[in-house]
Amino acid sequence: MTQPPSHNAKAFARPIVLGIETSCDETAAAIVAAGKTVLAHRVLSQIDDHAEFGGVVPEIAARQHISHLDHLLDALMKDADLTFEELDAVAATTGPGLVGGLMVGVMTAKAIAKATGKPFVSVNHLEGHALTVRLADDVPFPYLLLLVSGGHCQILSVTGVGSYRRLGTTIDDAAGEAFDKTAKLLGLGYPGGPAVEAAAREGDAERFTLPKPMVGKPGCDFSFSGLKTAVRRLAEDCVAHEGVLTHKDRADICAAFQKTLAACLVDRLTRAIALFREEAGSGELPFVVAGGVAANSYLRGELEALASRENLKFFAPPMALCTDNGAMIAWAGLERFTLDPTINDMDISVRPRWPLDGDAKPMVGKGKKGAKA
């Protein structure tokens, strides 16, 4: 991924695509040009607006998108030294996500497209994560993808833009959700992922033993609900014995939790790698990790080590592109537009639930979330 040497964006290769991301609690937009060039990139976090509630409040998120998106886009266009008329296409996250936020981004993108006569490109938020690595590196198809974030935990075989086969998914909580809930249980604040990772650096991962849900079982599906419950019971035991949950207790629990979750990911992925090789062949195939949890340094290290053992070439987006951002939406839109320059998704509505693999069998019980979202 290259950055422009100046604000003279008009000199860059086409197409040039604006991407808008408002599916959750980041108001984000970016402009990306052919040649993997990010002309401008802005993200406005809502962490402070949701911190007191310990999680994202959908109505607050939507209102913040409404309040800030127009101003963010004005600043973005100035950063890129472009007018809306000079774009080739406008892309926005159409789903999955919080319906209020999705509507803000999609309606804004459609308005820009309509006013300028440019095509509107509907982008699946998960596809944005799935393809981001191709903005940063020359990653060929097919590749094995671990998409791991606050709301999603899936293993997919990626054979092309719009072509995904799900090999495994969570049957309950996503990995990022488990991080957030663990942080909340331990009083570490919000967002939970960075807080748990920071505490774990000071902890002894060997002091406590936690269960490893699904490890050793057939298939490639995940489960993290039991791990979260075990953390709660462990914290309660510490309080019962010591009268208080100490700083060391928190750090050691976080270290054990992080190590255990990584072990679960590695076990499920080891099975998925065997399935992926059956269809993709032998040799040094690409293995991609994407999504917000991919920003966790410890998990990256464990997954990179797995790739080395399995003769896979490891890829992950830059840290700044792991969490929700506009560049991944602009890039996914650019990839789709490049394949079909006649595309125009003006008639497509927001989809709060939108699986990447629409042919995957529905899960049972709580797993319906993992199958559809």
Side-chain angles (χ1 to χ4, degrees):
M1 180 180 65
T2 59
Q3 297 292 338
S6 71
H7 282 184
N8 185 19
K10 301 173 183 64
F12 285 87
R14 296 202 175 259
I16 297 175
V17 178
L18 164 66
I20 298 174
E21 158 59 29
T22 56
S23 67
C24 193
D25 60 336
E26 277 93 12
T27 307
I31 301 172
V32 174
K36 304 179 187 291
T37 303
V38 178
L39 302 181
H41 183 203
R42 284 190 175 241
V43 179
L44 180 63
S45 173
Q46 297 181 10
I47 287 176
D48 292 342
D49 300 297
H50 301 281
E52 65 177 295
F53 304 102
V56 178
V57 180
E59 288 189 5
I60 292 176
R63 289 171 185 165
Q64 290 298 94
H65 291 313
I66 292 172
S67 297
H68 298 294
L69 182 56
D70 286 351
H71 303 295
L72 185 142
L73 288 172
D74 284 343
L76 183 81
M77 302 308 290
K78 291 176 182 176
D79 290 344
D81 189 23
L82 278 175
T83 64
F84 289 118
E85 287 76 11
E86 292 171 302
L87 300 170
D88 293 298
V90 182
T93 302
T94 312
L98 302 176
V99 64
L102 291 171
M103 290 179 67
V104 174
V106 169
M107 294 305 293
T108 301
K110 285 184 176 182
I112 295 170
K114 186 72 173 177
T116 58
K118 307 298 180 180
F120 168 69
V121 184
S122 167
V123 173
N124 185 310
H125 177 83
L126 304 181
E127 184 164 51
H129 281 303
L131 297 177
T132 304
V133 70
R134 287 168 52 83
L135 172 60
D137 293 287
D138 293 324
V139 182
F141 298 118
Y143 54 84
L144 182 67
L145 169 68
L146 172 64
L147 201 166
V148 57
S149 67
H152 307 278
C153 191
Q154 302 176 22
I155 306 174
L156 301 125
S157 170
V158 182
T159 55
V161 177
S163 181
Y164 307 92
R165 185 167 77 88
R166 196 187 75 200
L167 304 179
T169 187
T170 179
I171 64 172
D172 42 56
D173 293 348
E177 188 177 357
F179 268 97
D180 286 340
K181 290 180 177 178
T182 292
K184 191 170 184 178
L185 284 167
L186 299 178
L188 295 177
Y190 175 84
V196 171
E197 182 181 11
R201 293 194 194 100
E202 303 178 21
D204 176 7
E206 306 303 323
R207 179 183 169 192
F208 299 117
T209 300
L210 291 168
K212 298 174 182 176
M214 304 292 285
V215 167
K217 293 187 177 181
C220 307
D221 291 333
F222 303 93
S223 172
F224 298 111
S225 180
L227 178 57
K228 172 199 64 183
T229 301
V231 167
R232 176 176 58 80
R233 290 174 177 167
L234 188 56
E236 290 172 349
D237 288 344
C238 288
V239 173
H241 284 92
E242 304 171 35
V244 66
L245 191 64
T246 67
H247 178 83
K248 177 172 173 51
D249 290 336
R250 288 187 176 90
D252 292 346
I253 292 173
C254 285
F257 165 80
Q258 186 172 255
K259 180 181 178 181
T260 302
L261 188 141
C264 293
L265 292 177
V266 167
D267 177 82
R268 304 285 83 193
L269 279 163
T270 300
R271 294 176 175 274
I273 289 168
L275 294 176
F276 180 61
R277 285 200 181 281
E278 289 179 7
E279 63 182 48
S282 58
E284 194 181 39
L285 298 168
F287 168 45
V288 174
V289 181
V293 181
N296 182 294
S297 298
Y298 177 82
L299 292 183
R300 274 206 191 204
E302 292 298 298
L303 296 172
E304 193 165 4
L306 169 67
S308 178
R309 293 194 299 271
E310 295 287 343
N311 190 32
L312 299 174
K313 191 169 183 180
F314 180 84
F315 294 95
M319 292 292 188
L321 296 184
C322 287
T323 52
D324 293 353
N325 63 88
M328 73 182 195
I329 304 305
W331 176 252
L334 189 150
E335 290 241 53
R336 292 196 63 212
F337 180 76
T338 300
L339 287 176
D340 180 11
T342 67
I343 192 171
N344 196 349
D345 296 327
M346 289 294 286
D347 293 334
I348 293 180
S349 302
V350 299
R351 298 181 62 181
R353 292 181 179 271
W354 186 7
L356 271 181
D357 181 359
D359 295 328
K361 293 181 179 180
M363 303 292 288
V364 296
K366 292 182 179 178
K368 290 180 180 178
K369 174 176 73 172
K372 294 182 180 179

